[in-house]
Amino acid sequence: MSQPASTTSPAAPKSDPAAKHPRVLRLDVRTLSLLGVLAALVVIGGITQPDSFLDTDNLQLVLTQASVIGVVTVGMTFVIISGGIDLSVGAIVALAGVWSTTVATQEYGFAGVLFTAILVGVGCGLVNGVLIAYGGMVPFIATLAMLASGRGLALQITDGKTQMVTVPGVLKLGERDSYVLGIPPLVMVFVAVTVIGWLVLNRTTFGRRTVAVGGNAEAARLAGIDVRRQRLYLYLLSGLCCGIAAFLLIVLSGSGQNTNGNLYELDAIAAAIIGGTLLTGGRGTIVGSVLGVLIFTTIQNIFALNNLQSDVQQIAKGAIIVVAVLVQRRTASTSH
Amino acid sequence: MPETTSRRGLIFGAAAAVTAGGLLTACTSNEPSDKSDDKKTDDQPVADDKKGKQVTIGFAGPQADHGWLNAINDNAKERAKKYADVTLETTEGSNDTAAQIGQVETLINKKVDVLVVLPADGKALTQVGLKAMRAGIPVVNLDRIFNTPQAYRCWIGGDNYGMGLSAGHYIGEQLKDKKNAKVVELAGLDNLELTKQRTEGFDAALKNYPNIKKVARQAAEFTVESGQAKMAQLLQAQKNFDALWNHDDDQGVGALRAIKQAGRDDFLMVGGAGALSAFEEIKQDRGVLKATVLYPPTMAASAIDLARALGQGKGISGMAEFEIPAHLTLYSAVVDKKNVDQYMPTGFK
């Protein structure tokens, strides 16, 4: 299935505009489906809780809550499109968060906290990348090892204690005073990462190579792409996103905890999947994944506003994932 | 059936031994008065601070990934250091049932005199408690109770239902003169029995105040992150309410963050468990957090005291009996601005 797709790809520039039309249409159908689901959720929220759902505060709330996992998901999407997987994103968020909130790190102020979070994220991504790209380890195993090591190291650093943020600049970033035109800074970062992610995936050589590696790694290698280096860069990218997410999370929660980022890997993978990313690689969009994040966050929001408990939320989430995958299969059949 | 008989017999034998020890001590205390000056401290029926018989205590707790659990471990170790006659053997701690079973068995094999166990899951670790009792090592079951009393000699723990009662009554008294008062609840992990008990206690207490209605409840996960996220949602869902009870002070850090981020200060908040950060907020009295209800991590220190007395065949100070009790439920005290200084040293981080 993927081979015909890759065969079609090089031919695309030489074909007449009509050949491009089906591809664009297919993308639009998927995106429109997700937007439809989101619109349906907005209607449901608006009907069940008109006073609290449909207002600026709630929009800010949903987007803020989507921002941390959203940034992680952008990185995860790149990795999955390349045919890989990253189970360690939650652990990396926790580790970067606790490392950047130690008393020693906070002495360096805002810049110290931010730099440390990103550096730890990229560092973990580098370890993952080297093990997978050059060590020949299966992504699932390598990132599973990083998950365990990252959590363990985070626990060791904190000794189970909650590390409070004391740097005023970091705390202030999460408060209402910092909103610009009513937009929380965390949301701005999320939007920026999304836009940059979209541009990188769709408008750069790096992005095209990512899709090529995921579609058919051997063909990509024969085409002259350094597959190993590409994979390394992708895990670095995922680690970078985790570092940014860790910073956003400590701004949001005002602290670093070894339990932060719990099950982020599952949330990110789930959002990418319902967004249309194939776990086998070779296909996926940033827009789809971000819409996936927004769908899950909106559902969570509607449940909370209606005072429904979290066990029902988990069931709903699982149901949506199943439906999304079934719809994907139907779409895949149609494309054949 | 033979196995059951054997098990019961062994336990009865152990109990008989303890009882016999008690009786012997009682006989000793009835010595003629003209010899009372010669009575040795070892023969006293109640354990005190004076050095007595050497006791090795094995301590097995869960992994300290939450401030409260960390404080449990600290309390146990600090208390053991206080006694010259106590040797403490500790495991590294695990939240995995199988791993913790292995750790307890290691302590059994070391033939410690008394075991103190805080199981990650009380029901799941019952068998290893029974194994220790059958091996002749009495168990002090800390907080998360085993399935059967045969698995421990003494249980000591907090009062989850009582936390709810204390929080409910505190809020009730603060709002008793307010018509149509609304309260919201931020619970901990909903799949835990203790969370349900806390909610039941809270609801029961609020029934005493007809003017108060609980309008919303959401469950977080005892973490700062989940506390912030769920509280933000509760604040959005409930534009007006008069009081909030948050079950756990660690997730309370996140809840307070959400409250500050939302710019809300029109209600009072009661916390739970007794974190140092909560005590500091209460003392400063600059925000909505006015009180917290305790779930004392000092229970681990008391467990060491109980284990030492048990190992020395004595009762405990403050009680007339020659043996330690079978159950001790700790009170969930309310800590507010008036008494917070007194509790500051016990706050967990």
Side-chain angles (χ1 to χ4, degrees):
Chain A
M1 185 185 81
S2 59
Q3 197 158 12
S6 66
T7 301
T8 304
S9 180
K14 303 176 181 177
S15 298
D16 55 84
K20 293 183 181 179
H21 191 60
R23 180 182 303 277
V24 172
L25 187 63
R26 200 157 52 233
L27 178 64
D28 278 358
V29 167
R30 205 188 315 276
T31 304
L32 285 174
S33 298
L34 292 166
L35 285 170
V37 172
L38 203 48
L41 289 174
V42 170
V43 170
I44 292 171
I47 291 174
T48 58
Q49 294 292 332
D51 292 336
S52 53
F53 184 80
L54 297 172
D55 71 9
T56 307
D57 282 350
N58 198 47
L59 182 59
Q60 288 166 348
L61 175 60
V62 171
L63 290 177
T64 299
Q65 297 198 319
S67 59
V68 179
I69 188 61
V71 169
V72 171
T73 302
V74 169
M76 177 70 79
T77 301
F78 272 90
V79 168
I80 296 179
I81 288 174
S82 76
I85 195 79
D86 191 347
L87 300 181
S88 63
V89 292
I92 294 176
V93 168
L95 179 57
V98 303
W99 207 313
S100 57
T101 51
T102 62
V103 173
T105 305
Q106 292 202 57
E107 282 178 359
Y108 291 95
F110 186 101
V113 173
L114 175 59
F115 185 71
T116 301
I118 292 180
L119 191 63
V120 172
V122 171
C124 292
L126 178 63
V127 172
N128 279 336
V130 168
L131 291 177
I132 293 164
Y134 296 96
M137 285 184 77
V138 173
F140 190 95
I141 302 299
T143 58
L144 187 62
M146 176 60 74
L147 188 163
S149 305
R151 285 278 170 210
L153 190 49
L155 179 58
Q156 191 166 57
I157 291 173
T158 61
D159 197 26
K161 298 183 171 71
T162 301
Q163 298 184 161
M164 310 293 285
V165 172
T166 53
V167 178
V170 173
L171 291 173
K172 194 163 182 62
L173 211 56
E175 285 158 26
R176 209 156 278 265
D177 297 355
S178 298
Y179 288 17
V180 179
L181 302 176
I183 304 172
L186 272 61
V187 174
M188 290 181 197
V189 173
F190 175 32
V191 170
V193 169
T194 299
V195 170
I196 292 171
W198 186 89
L199 288 172
V200 169
L201 185 62
N202 296 281
R203 295 286 185 267
T204 68
T205 303
F206 181 86
R208 285 188 285 275
R209 285 177 180 165
T210 299
V211 178
V213 167
N216 188 324
E218 185 59 16
R221 192 183 65 80
L222 291 173
I225 295 174
D226 187 335
V227 172
R228 293 190 300 182
R229 186 170 60 192
Q230 186 71 17
R231 283 187 172 135
L232 174 66
Y233 287 160
L234 286 162
Y235 284 95
L236 279 174
L237 180 61
S238 184
L240 172 63
C241 288
C242 291
I244 295 170
F247 180 75
L248 299 187
L249 184 53
I250 63 180
V251 167
L252 197 57
S253 67
S255 68
Q257 243 189 347
N258 65 87
T259 52
N260 279 358
N262 190 39
L263 299 182
Y264 270 26
E265 51 279 351
L266 299 190
D267 287 343
I269 292 169
I273 289 173
I274 74 164
T277 309
L278 284 188
L279 274 185
T280 47
R283 190 166 76 191
T285 66
I286 299 298
V287 171
S289 295
V290 167
L291 287 174
V293 170
L294 292 176
I295 286 170
F296 283 139
T297 309
T298 304
I299 287 169
Q300 203 172 73
N301 179 258
I302 292 172
F303 270 78
L305 296 191
N306 283 279
N307 201 32
L308 298 175
Q309 304 306 302
S310 50
D311 46 0
V312 188
Q313 287 182 41
Q314 300 306 320
I315 295 171
K317 195 170 191 175
I320 286 174
I321 293 171
V322 170
V323 170
V325 171
L326 291 178
V327 169
Q328 255 189 66
R329 270 191 203 171
R330 180 169 296 183
T331 305
S333 298
T334 305
S335 70
H336 273 307
Chain B
M1 181 58 75
E3 185 186 10
T4 303
T5 303
S6 172
R7 185 182 304 161
R8 199 171 289 149
L10 277 173
I11 291 169
F12 176 77
V18 173
T19 304
L23 288 173
L24 288 173
T25 304
C27 291
T28 304
S29 70
N30 289 329
E31 292 276 349
S33 60
D34 63 355
K35 296 187 180 181
S36 63
D37 291 341
D38 297 330
K39 189 161 66 173
K40 299 175 182 176
T41 55
D42 284 354
D43 295 330
Q44 288 182 357
V46 174
D48 53 24
D49 289 352
K50 295 172 189 171
K51 183 176 179 180
K53 173 188 169 188
Q54 201 70 31
V55 180
T56 301
I57 299 172
F59 181 84
Q63 187 173 68
D65 59 3
H66 181 284
W68 188 86
L69 291 167
N70 196 72
I72 282 281
N73 290 346
D74 286 349
N75 270 279
K77 290 170 185 171
E78 289 304 310
R79 197 63 158 194
K81 283 179 190 170
K82 175 184 170 185
Y83 301 114
D85 50 21
V86 169
T87 302
L88 190 70
E89 294 269 4
T90 61
T91 63
E92 65 182 299
S94 177
N95 289 333
D96 175 67
T97 296
Q100 197 177 22
I101 288 173
Q103 288 169 4
V104 173
E105 286 179 348
T106 299
L107 292 173
I108 292 173
N109 292 337
K110 283 186 175 180
K111 300 196 196 308
V112 296
D113 296 312
V114 186
L115 258 176
V116 175
V117 182
L118 200 180
D121 183 324
K123 291 173 183 170
L125 261 81
T126 298
Q127 287 304 311
V128 80
L130 282 169
K131 182 167 179 175
M133 295 290 282
R134 292 202 306 264
I137 301 175
V139 175
V140 175
N141 182 192
L142 185 54
D143 202 44
R144 297 174 189 171
I145 195 163
F146 290 141
N147 241 357
T148 169
Q150 295 186 65
Y152 58 83
R153 164 62 181 80
C154 172
W155 171 85
I156 177 172
D159 185 359
N160 290 296
Y161 185 87
M163 281 180 83
L165 286 180
S166 294
H169 279 297
Y170 180 86
I171 286 173
E173 290 302 306
Q174 300 299 308
L175 302 180
K176 64 185 176 182
D177 296 326
K178 184 175 174 62
K179 289 182 180 177
N180 301 319
K182 300 176 189 172
V183 304
V184 300
E185 182 183 9
L186 183 65
L189 272 167
D190 244 350
N191 59 2
L192 296 178
E193 184 65 24
L194 66 93
T195 300
K196 295 183 177 69
Q197 290 167 359
R198 293 180 184 185
T199 293
E200 285 166 6
F202 189 53
D203 291 346
L206 292 182
K207 279 192 167 70
N208 294 287
Y209 305 90
N211 63 311
I212 297 175
K213 182 184 178 187
K214 189 170 89 173
V215 294
R217 175 191 188 275
Q218 284 290 302
E221 293 166 9
F222 294 132
T223 64
V224 175
E225 181 185 352
S226 63
Q228 189 278 334
K230 290 296 179 179
M231 191 68 227
Q233 287 170 342
L234 263 177
L235 291 168
Q236 177 64 26
Q238 301 295 327
K239 300 295 189 179
N240 294 291
F241 58 90
D242 303 288
L244 154 72
W245 180 41
N246 161 54
H247 286 203
D248 176 69
D249 289 332
D250 226 16
Q251 72 186 26
V253 170
L256 283 168
R257 187 83 177 122
I259 291 162
K260 185 169 171 59
Q261 286 163 348
R264 297 271 290 271
D265 63 0
D266 53 337
F267 57 88
L268 71 94
M269 174 181 177
V270 176
L276 182 60
S277 60
F279 290 163
E280 285 166 350
E281 285 277 334
I282 291 165
K283 185 180 172 70
Q284 289 166 27
D285 196 15
R286 280 201 230 106
V288 297
L289 186 63
K290 302 302 178 185
T292 186
V293 292
L294 293 189
Y295 198 82
T298 49
M299 65 177 69
S302 298
I304 295 297
D305 285 346
L306 290 164
R308 173 173 175 263
L310 186 54
Q312 294 179 343
K314 301 180 173 179
I316 57 177
S317 176
M319 295 184 78
E321 291 70 33
F322 299 154
E323 315 85 25
I324 68 171
H327 293 93
L328 271 172
T329 303
L330 306 181
Y331 178 62
S332 181
V334 174
V335 176
D336 60 10
K337 198 175 178 185
K338 293 192 291 285
N339 62 357
V340 67
D341 282 332
Q342 166 187 350
Y343 286 95
M344 201 67 79
T346 70
F348 64 83
K349 298 176 181 175

